[in-house]
Amino acid sequence: MPDECLPGALDSMRDALLAWYAADHRALPWRDTTDPYEILVAEVMSQQTQLERVVDAWEAFLERWPTVAALADTPRAEVVAFWSDHRLGYNRRARFLHESASIIAHDWDGSFPREPDELERLPGVGPYTANAVASFAFNNGDAVVDTNVKRILFRLCTASTDREPSYERLASRLMPPATSRQWNNAMMELGGVVCEKRPRCDEGNCPWRRWCDAYATGDFTAPDVPSQPTFDGSRRQFRGRIVRIVSEAGRVTCSELGPRVRVDFDPADQDDRSWLRDLVESLAADGLVRLETATDEWAVAPVAE
DNA sequence: ATCCCGTTCA
DNA sequence: TGAACGGGAT
């Protein structure tokens, strides 16, 4: 996606989007804070999880662990249990958040770095989250590029090229200097409520209609998002069950765990036992549970620390 | 079935 | 570059 697909009237486009956002937008609670810890919690929770499902969990999480120090002082297992209780999915994100809290508390003396490059060194923090935290906490980020932003840019410039676009470069050129807090909120708002898979250009009063290739041509093709395999019966589903069982029940042996994970699990069957063991090992490697092999029969327990 | 304000590891 | 990672909602 070449730069020349941007119209000459860059300033008008920028003003139009910022005015559109200022006029009305969703009242997401983390938009009312600039505390980097609160922002980080919101962003990590929001990775691949719908925002409506995040709001309650975010408020409960911050009530329980109001500061990065409080979270760092908590045993990992409690954070994992919270994640599981609130059905946030992707339990590894609970571990990443807990590890990040420890790093901030110990290596950064309790205060967050302001630069995206520094934030990106935290576990579970990639380019998106680093720029989101830098933007919303410090107004110090680059343009964020998530699936929403990609969809907007693709449609904006779809008639201009058939080459693989550099979304980062284009997004960055579009953002007015030193406006990342407002700008990134506005871009994601546009992608979230107007430029959705099924676009709502007129209903949503899209501020970019007059510059948009897709609006002009009626071709609202969007970039392919990789589809996920069926969840039912998947490894991911069983991993999630194990984490929840251990969070609720504490230490359980293989024979106790198996039937609670899969109804037709046979504790006497070696294949069943190694199937379960493999899942537990992967969870232990992810720091979500602890595998005990000291006794007769192996068991799984809440993660230490 | 498909989507959801991504990141990690191979 | 691709697969794996959870699970609720529509």
Side-chain angles (χ1 to χ4, degrees), chain A residues 150-188:
Chain A
K150 286 181 182 172
R151 195 168 53 244
I152 295 168
L153 297 177
F154 188 94
R155 286 172 172 167
L156 193 62
C157 299
T158 187
S160 303
T161 180
D162 53 359
R163 292 186 309 114
E164 177 64 16
S166 168
Y167 293 110
E168 284 74 12
R169 224 158 55 83
L170 189 53
S172 187
R173 281 180 45 80
L174 211 43
M175 184 177 86
T179 60
S180 62
R181 178 179 289 138
Q182 287 304 106
W183 182 260
N184 286 324
N185 266 145
M187 284 292 278
M188 291 201 285

Side-chain angles (χ1 to χ4, degrees), chain A residues 150-300:
Chain A
K150 286 181 182 172
R151 195 168 53 244
I152 295 168
L153 297 177
F154 188 94
R155 286 172 172 167
L156 193 62
C157 299
T158 187
S160 303
T161 180
D162 53 359
R163 292 186 309 114
E164 177 64 16
S166 168
Y167 293 110
E168 284 74 12
R169 224 158 55 83
L170 189 53
S172 187
R173 281 180 45 80
L174 211 43
M175 184 177 86
T179 60
S180 62
R181 178 179 289 138
Q182 287 304 106
W183 182 260
N184 286 324
N185 266 145
M187 284 292 278
M188 291 201 285
E189 185 75 5
L190 187 66
V193 307
V194 175
C195 200
E196 302 174 72
K197 178 172 178 123
R198 154 91 165 269
R200 302 174 58 251
C201 315
D202 294 324
E203 312 92 289
N205 193 26
C206 179
W208 283 355
R209 277 170 289 182
R210 66 173 131 146
W211 296 290
C212 179
D213 285 347
Y215 191 73
T217 63
D219 176 6
F220 288 95
T221 307
D224 287 332
V225 296
S227 68
Q228 295 193 348
T230 312
F231 182 61
D232 269 342
S234 69
R235 178 182 176 83
R236 312 165 76 171
Q237 183 178 41
F238 291 120
R239 278 173 48 108
R241 281 186 194 165
I242 294 170
V243 170
R244 184 149 69 252
I245 290 164
V246 171
S247 296
E248 290 170 355
R251 180 183 184 278
V252 286
T253 63
C254 169
S255 301
E256 295 163 344
L257 176 65
R260 299 180 63 171
V261 173
R262 218 186 62 205
V263 286
D264 66 337
F265 183 92
D266 179 3
D269 185 309
Q270 266 319 309
D271 288 342
D272 279 9
R273 295 177 76 86
S274 33
W275 169 79
L276 190 60
R277 168 87 176 235
D278 176 65
L279 290 170
V280 168
E281 280 179 354
S282 78
L283 289 169
D286 284 342
L288 296 173
V289 299
R290 187 159 44 91
L291 174 61
E292 285 184 8
T293 56
T295 48
D296 258 8
E297 186 185 30
W298 65 263
V300 56

Side-chain angles (χ1 to χ4, degrees), chain A residues 5-19:
Chain A
C5 95
L6 290 179
L10 202 50
D11 287 334
S12 303
M13 267 186 90
R14 291 168 167 174
D15 292 347
L17 179 64
L18 290 171

Side-chain angles (χ1 to χ4, degrees), chain A residues 61-117:
Chain A
F61 192 98
L62 292 177
E63 190 166 335
R64 184 152 170 193
W65 299 293
T67 64
V68 68
L71 182 58
D73 284 343
T74 300
R76 165 90 51 82
E78 286 185 36
V79 185
V80 174
F82 178 99
W83 219 261
S84 200
D85 282 350
H86 290 264
R87 302 296 194 270
L88 284 166
Y90 298 89
N91 292 300
R92 288 190 302 186
R93 295 183 307 182
R95 186 197 96 191
F96 292 148
L97 197 48
H98 185 247
E99 280 183 339
S100 291
S102 292
I103 292 170
I104 299 294
H106 301 129
D107 297 358
W108 292 88
D109 206 21
S111 68
F112 277 71
R114 300 170 47 88
E115 301 302 323
D117 287 352

